[in-house]
Structure formats: C-alpha cells, structure tokens
Amino acid sequence: MKKKVAILGSSGGNLYSLGGKDPDKLLGELLLQLEAAGMECGSLQFIAAKGSMDSVKETTEAALYSWNEDSSEPYIKLEGTLKEVNKEAEKTDLEISEKIKNGEIDGLIFMSADPNGANKKAVEAAAKMKLPATGTGGTSMATISSKGLNVISTSGTTGTTNRTRAVTFVTSLSKHWGISYRPIIGKVTASDKSQETSPWKRINIRGMMLASLPGFIAMALVLALSKIPALSMLGDVFDLMINALPIILAVIAAKQVADLDDVSIVAGIVAGVLSTNGGIIGGIIGGIGAGLLVQYIFRKCVEWKFPATTVNIAAGGIAGLISGLIVYFLFAPIALQLGEGIRSLLDTLVGMNPIVAGLIAGLLIWPAIIGGIYHAAILPIVLLEMETSGNSFLGAVDMVGLVMVSAGITLANIVAPRDKGEAAVATPGFLINVGFGTFVEAAYPFMFSNKLIFAGAIVSSGIGGLLVGLFDVRGTAYVPSVMAPFLSDNMIGFIIAMVGSLVCAFVITLLVNLFAKKKARDKDELLSA
C-alpha cells in the first residue's frame, strides 16, 4: 500500500516570496516528488493569500486549496476574503483530523502552517497517532513540535525553493519509512511521468552554447555602439562583458545539469567567477562541475537531515566554490590554451586563402545545418571567435549563407509562388529571417520539394561565403539583417555579401518557380485541347 501524506499549510510570510505566491507550482513540485517516492497525497489544506501573511488583513483575497480524491489533484474549494477562507479551512481541518484518527493518513507535510488555528485539529490528531511530520516555517514548526508531534525534520523557509523543499520533505519521510526514493530533477509538474535522467546525461554542450547566445549578441551590440565617437566609453563595457561570458556559460551549465532552481544558479555564478581565466571553455567546465556537485551535496545534506536552508546554502555555495577553485588552479590555463588553439587554427586556415575558405564554408553550411552538425560544431566555434573580438568569420558566413539565402528563397515564393498557398507559407519566414536573423528552416519546404532550389541554396551560400572571404568580413547572425552590418568589422563588405547571396537565391528560386508554372500551364493546355 502506498503511504498517504497530508499536506497542510499556507502561502506564508517569507514563503510567499519563495514560491508561496504560486500555489499551483508549489503543490505541483511536491506532488511530483511524492509520486517519485511511491507515495500519494491523502489530504490537502493550503491557504493561498494574495499577499504575504506578514501583512495581510481579514479582507485580503485568498483561496483554499483542497484535494479531489476522484481526480487525484488539487482544486480550489473556495475563493473569497481571508476571513471567509479561514472559516472554511476550519471545516477542512476537522475532516482531515477525522481521516487521521481513522488511520487514512500516514504522515504530514507542513508549510507555514497554523497549529493554533486552521490546522489545530489535524495537529492534535496527528500527535495522538504519533504520525511522522516534516515541514518548514520556523515558528510554526516549533509550535507543532511542542504539541507532541513526531517531527522527523524541520527547517526555516529562508533560502529554499519549491524543488528543494519538496525533495527535503519527501527524503525525510522516505528515510523514516525505509522507502527507496530518487528525486526527479528537471520536471515542474506532476503530470510529467518521465523518469529522471542522470546528471551526466543532462550535459549538453550544444544546449549550453545556444542558451548563452543572447549574451554574445549583447556583447556584439556593445562593440558596435562603442565605435560611435560619442559612445567610445563603451569600449570598457565591452571588455567587462568579455569577462562575463564564462560566468554566463557556467550558470547555464550548472542550471542544466542540476536544475535545482536558485541553488544551481548560485553555484554556477560562484564557479563562473572563479573560471573567468579559462575563457568560455573554462566557464563550461566550472558550470558542469558545479551542477554535478550541487546534486551530490544537496542529496547528502538531506540524507544527513540538515535543515533545508542549510542544505541550500551548502549545496549552492560549496559546490560552486569547489568546482570554481578546481578550474582556477588546474583547468583554466588548459581551457584558455584550447580556446586560443581553436581560434588560431581557424585564423590560419582563413588567412591562407580567405576567398577559398569562405567559399568552402558557404558550400558546406547548409549540409551542416540539415545534418545537425551546425549547432554541435560550427556554433561553438562562432562563439569562441566572438569571445575575443565580438564578431566571427563563420558568423558572417552564417548570416549570408543561411539567413540571407533563406530570405531570398522565401521572397521569391512571395513574389512568384508556384501556387497561392506557398506565398502564405513563405511570408512569415521571410519576415522573421530579415527582422530577426533566424528561422532559416523557413526555406526547407521549398528546398526539399525541388532539387534545383536546393542546389541553388548551396550555390548562393557558396557565393555569399566567397564574398565574405573576399572582403575578409567578421560578423554575426541572430540579429536583424539591417543591424548586422553595423556589428561587423567591414560594413560595406558585409552588405555586399548579404545582398549578393540574397539576390542569387532569389533569382534562382524565381526562375525555377516561373519555369514550373509555365510547365504546369502547358500541361493544362495540352489536357484541355
């Protein structure tokens, strides 16, 4: 038989700002962890106020959450003023106390509960039945313990999150009952039944690079603005942002690997600050290490029955510190040299013959993105280039070879589509490519439906890459096309390359479409004759 747990409490004072103001997420995380341990909710009484309990009044709006046994999910039993909700909560309290007396509840979880008011009857019944209880809320838990309840673990609320509280509660109950429990990390709703994956399996370098891209684009914008004489002071800001990139990547890596909300973010920041000497590769190493250690330290501290606040402090602070120091003293020089080596190799290859290098890059970039190689190999190199200069040779090829070619193909299908439906498909793709510098996949339907358009895309991309090499351009994609030239080191050259690839893709696609339409008309005339 599954152990049945009663969840009792409120959105609280301090808890309100730490998850209590969103009861659906708070309860969803707790239900998810209960399910992971093979337990289930037997009763629920949660008072959610529209403000911190430290400053509410009887007229404050509130809602009473209860448990629907038929659908096995929370529901709002009553909405009204806090006075009305508290009155209804007393009835729910009495119902739960009866269930406790009848042996229908095996344990309790308290969150900023009111043992002298809304939860009085349930606390008294649980004390008589010697049920195990765990919870947060320093004052309320001290009062609950004084009433004779078997409190197996307790903590304040400060420094906790929905996830860390839920994991702490369920771990305490699991150990008390001797139940095997492995927390589910990375899920936020009880409706998600998938199993937790190993932290090692959540390491995804491509995902980290993609998630950090906004930071690199922000740096490129600062670089462009710093070239304006009146804004030359932004040059120092650019240098500062370069040093911040490893921190950004460390935070993303730690969050991805551990996914323990604010705890993993803090660990990533600490590790990232200590990993700046290793560049973005050092930041990634530090963040991954912090993420792995966060989970390990967190679970060990919970097993040792540390208070939830202490668990968070130890996991976030110590994990980040250990990982960061390892990178600082051991891996930073290696990571920095590795990054420099990759950049030097690319610079050497481009320097030998930039025109040929651009042509080859342009011809290969479409097969690379279609084959899934782009985000795994090319994007990391682009970001490594941008780490020092704010723009990139391959970034420029990306803009002219992918974005502008996609824009040219979609524009041709707006001007002269093979059928009316294609124009409707092409229009949003064109606008997004031009307006935001992304969504090159908009050209896929047209490329995959006609081999000539596909070949034209590769040829146009090759020509664009050739022009990038000819003018020795460094730039970036993922920005509006009208802005991209200002973020490059050769504005005129970049404009020529962008226009060249767009016009080439447009003309080839237009001719293919016109030929296809003429062929269709000739066929119709032949059939009608």
Side-chain angles (χ1 to χ4, degrees), residues 182-187 194-203 256-258 295 299:
R182 184 174 182 82
I184 293 180
I185 305 299
K187 308 294 183 292
S194 57
Q195 295 297 314
E196 179 202 15
T197 57
S198 163
W200 291 96
K201 292 181 180 179
R202 289 199 295 271
I203 297 173
Q256 181 189 96
V257 174
Q295 279 215 343
R299 284 175 175 161

Side-chain angles (χ1 to χ4, degrees), residues 339-354 357 381 384-385 388-389 391-394 472 474:
E340 290 291 346
I342 294 172
R343 284 190 292 269
S344 297
L345 177 61
L346 181 62
D347 288 342
T348 300
L349 294 174
V350 173
M352 290 171 63
N353 194 322
I381 296 174
L384 279 170
E385 285 189 272
T388 56
S389 62
N391 44 44
S392 159
F393 181 82
L394 288 179
D472 198 22
R474 301 293 188 276

Side-chain angles (χ1 to χ4, degrees), residues 414-478:
I414 295 172
V415 174
R418 285 173 291 182
D419 59 65
K420 294 180 180 179
E422 290 186 340
V425 174
T427 300
F430 172 76
L431 294 175
I432 294 173
N433 272 296
V434 173
F436 299 94
T438 185
F439 194 38
V440 301
E441 295 84 356
Y444 282 179
F446 312 106
M447 292 170 62
F448 294 153
S449 64
N450 192 296
K451 293 180 181 179
L452 292 176
I453 295 178
F454 191 103
I458 294 177
V459 170
S460 301
S461 179
I463 291 173
L466 184 149
L467 292 171
V468 167
L470 177 64
F471 294 104
D472 198 22
V473 178
R474 301 293 188 276
T476 184
Y478 300 100

Side-chain angles (χ1 to χ4, degrees), residues 54-115:
D54 293 334
S55 57
V56 294
K57 302 176 182 178
E58 288 188 339
T59 55
T60 300
E61 292 183 12
L64 175 63
Y65 282 75
S66 190
W67 186 249
N68 187 324
E69 295 186 3
D70 294 330
S71 60
S72 296
E73 62 183 5
Y75 76 100
I76 297 177
K77 188 176 183 180
L78 176 70
E79 288 183 289
T81 65
L82 185 58
K83 183 178 180 179
E84 294 169 339
V85 167
N86 280 333
K87 188 174 181 179
E88 183 64 29
E90 291 177 5
K91 298 177 183 178
T92 305
D93 181 40
L94 184 60
E95 293 170 2
I96 295 174
S97 69
E98 290 300 319
K99 294 183 73 172
I100 293 173
K101 292 175 184 177
N102 294 332
E104 299 177 43
I105 300 295
D106 301 299
L108 299 97
I109 292 174
F110 293 101
M111 291 176 288
S112 298
D114 183 5

Side-chain angles (χ1 to χ4, degrees), residues 377-424:
I378 296 178
L379 182 61
I381 296 174
V382 169
L383 299 187
L384 279 170
E385 285 189 272
M386 292 183 69
E387 180 184 15
T388 56
S389 62
N391 44 44
S392 159
F393 181 82
L394 288 179
V397 174
D398 183 336
M399 172 57 82
V400 304
L402 293 178
V403 178
M404 289 294 98
V405 169
S406 180
I409 292 172
T410 51
L411 179 60
N413 281 283
I414 295 172
V415 174
R418 285 173 291 182
D419 59 65
K420 294 180 180 179
E422 290 186 340

